Amino acid sequence: MTASSTSSCAPALLSMRELTVKYGPLGEGLPALCNVTVEFRSGEITGILGESGSGKTTLAMAMLGLLPTHAQVTGSLRFHDRELLRLRERDWKQVRGAKIAMIFQEPGLAMSPVMRVGDQIAEVIRAHTSLSRLARRQRVRELLEDVGLPQVDRVFKSYPHQLSGGELSRTAIVQALACEPELLIADEATRSLDVTRRAEILDLFRQANRRTGCAIVFITHDPALLAGFAHRIVVFYRGRVIQDGLTQQVFRQPAHPFTKGLLALVPNSISGKMNPDRRLPEVIDPKSQYADCFNYGN
């Protein structure tokens, strides 16, 4: 599968319809997400692109049922034919990790500091399968080998603080893929890595996508990471979707001033030089066709 291909003809694996999320005691103030309608399909790598505070992480938390209890949520969020917004916590436990998994921004912080890495991954498998203890441990070692980690026994027995950033990122991928979920969410999963390590991690995501057919939702503020990687890009700005299209289409025909400004920060593929105007647009003319993106009252 190439980055130019998509599974747009396949039925939606997860679909959102007018999803709105507000925080605060009475849901007052600006919504973190406002009337978001988007679909994710099996086998598709979707990039969620936006600046900090655009609603990207709130989107991920909604898909995992991890929004705080005071969040006011309306709309629809369906996984296959199941309405996730109606699930009780005990039902979420059957979905989270097994069907929908997530890799957080800081893998080391997402792991328990007092459990060995191998045991933590094995615990995910234990929670969702009937494999024996010996089979679980063997499965973990196989997965660690699959992501190219040397000295598998050392990594298995290590605590998170004993691993490098690259090793932590790989073990986080293993933990997320341990039960072969249908949907994998990666929230700024390469943010703390250098360029070489980022390329290696993106390649691991490609391999997982090709091997298992899982949908990948890759959240980032960096459009350069999505070029040649994502099949499709959904651009967020202030809690709203402002563009949703094939990666090449978004790069060649940005449909919103913010998208244009964001892409202008990407080094030119030929010269390697940055666009001299590196500032992102912050104000839209209220009379323009984009003014509705600032109307939070509806």
Side-chain angles (χ1 to χ4, degrees):
M1 183 180 294
T2 65
S4 62
S5 65
T6 68
S7 49
S8 58
C9 295
L13 176 66
L14 187 145
S15 61
M16 300 177 186
R17 293 289 181 270
E18 298 185 354
L19 184 68
T20 296
V21 178
K22 294 183 178 182
Y23 298 118
L26 297 175
E28 299 174 349
L30 301 181
L33 294 178
C34 187
N35 295 328
V36 172
T37 295
V38 67
E39 294 183 342
F40 303 105
R41 295 178 174 85
S42 297
E44 190 173 60
I45 300 176
T46 303
I48 303 295
L49 179 64
E51 62 183 345
S52 298
S54 63
K56 306 188 304 296
T57 297
T58 294
L59 182 82
M61 294 296 102
M63 288 192 283
L64 279 171
L66 293 176
L67 291 171
T69 55
H70 65 268
Q72 306 294 309
V73 185
T74 60
S76 175
L77 179 59
R78 301 186 70 85
F79 183 67
H80 291 296
D81 292 325
R82 196 175 191 183
E83 179 55 65
L84 297 181
L85 297 183
R86 298 175 185 171
L87 294 187
R88 298 179 180 179
E89 180 57 28
R90 64 185 180 187
D91 298 319
W92 267 111
K93 291 179 179 180
Q94 300 173 3
V95 175
R96 216 181 280 134
K99 302 295 183 181
I100 305 175
M102 182 167 175
I103 300 172
F104 295 88
Q105 290 187 26
E106 297 294 340
L109 298 180
M111 292 184 172
S112 169
V114 296
M115 284 184 67
R116 298 182 190 277
V117 167
D119 292 333
Q120 294 190 57
I121 299 172
E123 180 61 21
V124 174
I125 299 175
R126 185 202 65 77
H128 300 290
T129 73
S130 58
L131 292 178
S132 67
R133 181 173 180 272
L134 182 61
R136 293 196 299 269
R137 294 171 71 88
Q138 180 58 34
R139 175 62 176 156
V140 172
R141 285 184 166 84
E142 291 172 356
L143 290 170
L144 292 174
E145 290 178 354
D146 287 344
V147 298
L149 278 167
Q151 301 177 322
V152 167
D153 285 339
R154 175 186 64 80
V155 174
F156 188 102
K157 297 175 182 178
S158 295
Y159 293 96
H161 72 273
Q162 295 175 318
L163 300 180
S164 68
E167 289 173 333
L168 278 174
S169 293
R170 289 171 185 266
T171 56
I173 292 175
V174 168
Q175 189 174 43
L177 294 175
C179 295
E180 298 188 351
E182 296 178 70
L183 176 64
L184 175 63
I185 306 166
D187 185 9
E188 300 279 9
T190 63
R191 189 165 193 166
S192 61
L193 302 177
D194 60 35
V195 175
T196 300
R197 294 290 181 265
R198 286 181 183 180
E200 292 173 353
I201 296 304
L202 290 181
D203 190 52
L204 289 177
F205 284 128
R206 288 191 193 94
Q207 293 175 28
N209 171 254
R210 292 167 180 162
R211 184 177 66 253
T212 69
C214 67
I216 297 177
V217 177
F218 190 87
I219 297 172
T220 182
H221 68 286
D222 185 355
L225 291 177
L226 303 179
F229 171 65
H231 304 130
R232 184 169 132 249
I233 296 177
V234 180
V235 185
F236 272 74
Y237 185 55
R238 297 192 177 184
R240 289 179 181 258
V241 174
I242 58 173
Q243 188 165 4
D244 182 349
L246 298 179
T247 300
Q248 291 183 350
Q249 176 189 5
V250 173
F251 271 77
R252 291 176 180 175
Q253 298 177 320
H256 188 281
F258 174 75
T259 311
K260 293 178 182 179
L262 197 60
L263 295 180
L265 303 185
V266 181
N268 184 284
S269 59
I270 298 176
S271 68
K273 297 180 180 179
M274 301 294 292
N275 186 301
D277 183 6
R278 300 181 61 181
R279 294 175 296 175
L280 292 176
E282 295 180 356
V283 179
I284 304 297
D285 185 339
K287 296 180 181 180
S288 78
Q289 61 179 312
Y290 306 110
D292 65 325
C293 290
F294 292 86
N295 180 12
Y296 292 95
N298 58 8

